[in-house]
Amino acid sequence: MLATAQDAVKVHDRTLTALAGAFATRGHSLFLVGGSVRDALLGRLSHDLDFTTDARPEVVTGILDEVASTVWDTGIAFGTVSGLIHGMTVEITTFRADQYDGSSRNPEVTYGTSLDEDLVRRDFRGNAIALELSADGAHELRDPLNGLEDLVNGVLDTPAAPEQSFHDDPLRMLRACRFASQLGFEVAPRVQDAMTRMAAEIDRITVERVAAELDKLMLGAEPWTGLDLMVATGIAAHVLPELPALQLTQDEHRQHKDVYAHSLQVLRNVTELEGRLAGDPEEAEDAEALDHRRLVLRWAALMHDCGKPATRAFTESGAVTFHHHEVVGARMTRKRLKALKFPKKTTEEIGQLVFLHMRFHGYGEGAWTDSAVRRYVTDAGDLLPQLQLIVRADCTTRNKRKAARLQRVCDDLDARIVELKEKEDLAAVRPELDGNEIMEILGLAPGPEVGKAWAYLKELRLDRGPMEHDEAVAALKDWWKDQDL
């Protein structure tokens, strides 16, 4: 693991040695620290590096002014100065020995006097490892809290007692769930025990911070692991109560699928399938846009059945039904995401996927008309790729014959969509006549009647497919004659 870290750091040695030399010239030490060292040890060092130093912020600013192309001090109130060096973003924070008041996660900033004092205040021991930088490249690992052992064992444990750590900053409990998702680590028993007893403390954290952590968790390698930890410790009951609510009591005579386990499995399935979202490598979208599409897909997969607890009913024969759970679930999803202050566009996209996820089950093998396929594609819009992946991922049955049939039907619908797209532009299904033409043909002034006429032509376009201009004009005139205006 140490060799892995050395190899990862060497990639950035030009920057690291230059920085170390600049600080040494001023009589100060510089340490790569926190997640940067952890990721280097795990062989995944990023281009955003975090440092700590004994130099005070005004000294750090002076040093960066000499070696960085850009310097900004938006975090200087917390002892942090940032810069851009050789195209790399660096954040340098003066040793801290913060004090917490027990009601806010924002500490009273107090500068520390030693590296050990700075490391012990950090969230987890695996994030409390430092690399002392040298101008000659002979960097030295500093690990006073045995964080390296935790990384080797895949464990998340706190430097001090977890009760104190989580009381200081309850967000650390949610960060534990996020790291479980990103790294595949397990939490130490004492940490999970403290999280369980202190779950309600998460209510001290703003919804914006909670939402940011949830998104990071959802984009992790194993989001189902972090979510399961949230549920097991009771944290989910405070930040995402719809998730533990899926743990419906099973009745031996009225059995149905474990909705909670099913939802996590669907999330796992879409995570395995989402590579298809990338599309043609030659037309690849930027990483941020692709991450947004992945995030929307994963959230929709997780929430797709959240309406089932509210709609569960039993027939006289003992069968279980969840009628219109997609409608209820879409409403619940939008309500929760709005409470978490998600962006409006993201909220609507996730809600729409939850609303549409059952539409496919009316398809049957080739049973839909071309008109029905057009409506399916039009209603999904830009979300069609994600919707089709959720449909595939939603098949978690152990019945191999049933699973094969469902996948065959998915393949058939995909082929139908491709076939129709080759004949017409399904991405922009619009009437053959625009508003101006409608007004001219019917002798109308701008008003609601024009909108009604346009909507009629849109429905006609979906039913019939592309029409000739004269055919559309005739249809419009016939429709107009029947209007009671």
Side-chain angles (χ1 to χ4, degrees), residues 420-474:
L420 271 179
K421 283 184 175 179
E422 290 176 349
K423 297 178 181 177
E424 53 188 279
D425 184 7
L426 291 182
V429 173
R430 298 179 62 82
E432 276 70 17
L433 308 176
D434 63 22
N436 290 328
E437 290 175 298
I438 290 171
M439 288 188 289
E440 181 179 349
I441 293 167
L442 300 182
L444 295 175
E449 292 83 2
V450 179
K452 290 178 183 179
W454 190 93
Y456 165 73
L457 290 175
K458 172 73 176 292
E459 288 297 310
L460 197 63
R461 169 68 175 79
L462 286 169
D463 284 338
R464 296 187 187 177
M467 294 184 293
E468 295 294 333
H469 184 272
D470 290 345
E471 183 183 2
V473 171

Side-chain angles (χ1 to χ4, degrees), residues 168-291:
D168 286 347
D169 184 359
L171 189 64
R172 290 170 175 172
M173 296 188 292
L174 198 52
R175 285 168 63 84
C177 300
R178 189 243 292 184
F179 287 133
S181 166
Q182 291 179 328
L183 305 175
F185 283 14
E186 295 183 357
V187 295
R190 69 170 188 156
V191 171
Q192 182 159 345
D193 180 62
M195 290 169 65
T196 303
R197 287 185 286 105
M198 301 178 68
E201 292 282 307
I202 199 68
D203 292 337
R204 288 166 45 197
I205 304 301
T206 65
V207 293
E208 291 90 349
R209 296 304 299 266
V210 168
E213 284 297 324
L214 288 176
D215 275 352
K216 291 176 183 177
L217 183 158
M218 289 296 288
L219 285 175
E222 299 178 9
W224 50 89
T225 301
L227 292 166
D228 203 36
L229 179 59
M230 282 175 54
V231 171
T233 56
I235 292 172
H238 293 270
V239 301
L240 193 63
E242 294 78 9
L243 185 56
L246 295 176
Q247 296 176 306
L248 298 174
T249 302
Q250 300 294 301
D251 184 309
E252 62 177 336
H253 300 298
R254 295 173 171 174
Q255 292 183 353
H256 56 77
K257 188 179 296 183
D258 183 334
V259 182
Y260 173 73
H262 167 73
S263 296
L264 293 188
Q265 184 60 51
V266 173
L267 173 60
R268 188 169 191 154
N269 290 348
V270 297
T271 302
E272 294 174 356
L273 292 170
E274 67 184 12
R276 303 183 186 188
L277 290 177
D280 186 347
E282 295 183 0
E283 300 178 0
E285 58 192 326
D286 65 79
E288 185 176 348
L290 182 57
D291 276 350

Side-chain angles (χ1 to χ4, degrees), residues 4 43 49 59 89 122 140 144 157 159 175 182 224 252 260 331-332 334 369 377 406 414 428 444 450 461:
T4 299
L49 304 182
V59 176
T89 301
R122 294 177 181 268
E140 181 181 351
D157 203 350
R175 285 168 63 84
Q182 291 179 328
W224 50 89
E252 62 177 336
Y260 173 73
R331 184 166 62 246
M332 292 172 61
R334 291 187 176 101
T369 62
V377 174
L406 286 171
D414 280 341
L444 295 175
V450 179
R461 169 68 175 79

Side-chain angles (χ1 to χ4, degrees), residues 257 395-403:
K257 188 179 296 183
C395 177
T396 61
T397 179
R398 296 181 181 179
N399 184 320
K400 293 183 179 179
R401 181 176 296 179
K402 182 179 180 181

Side-chain angles (χ1 to χ4, degrees), residues 351-383:
Q352 183 70 351
L353 285 172
V354 173
F355 176 73
L356 292 173
H357 85 273
M358 290 295 292
R359 187 77 62 86
F360 161 81
H361 295 283
Y363 178 66
E365 296 191 42
W368 278 0
T369 62
D370 284 353
S371 173
V373 175
R374 286 189 199 98
R375 291 178 184 278
Y376 181 80
V377 174
T378 300
D379 288 346
D382 292 338
L383 298 172

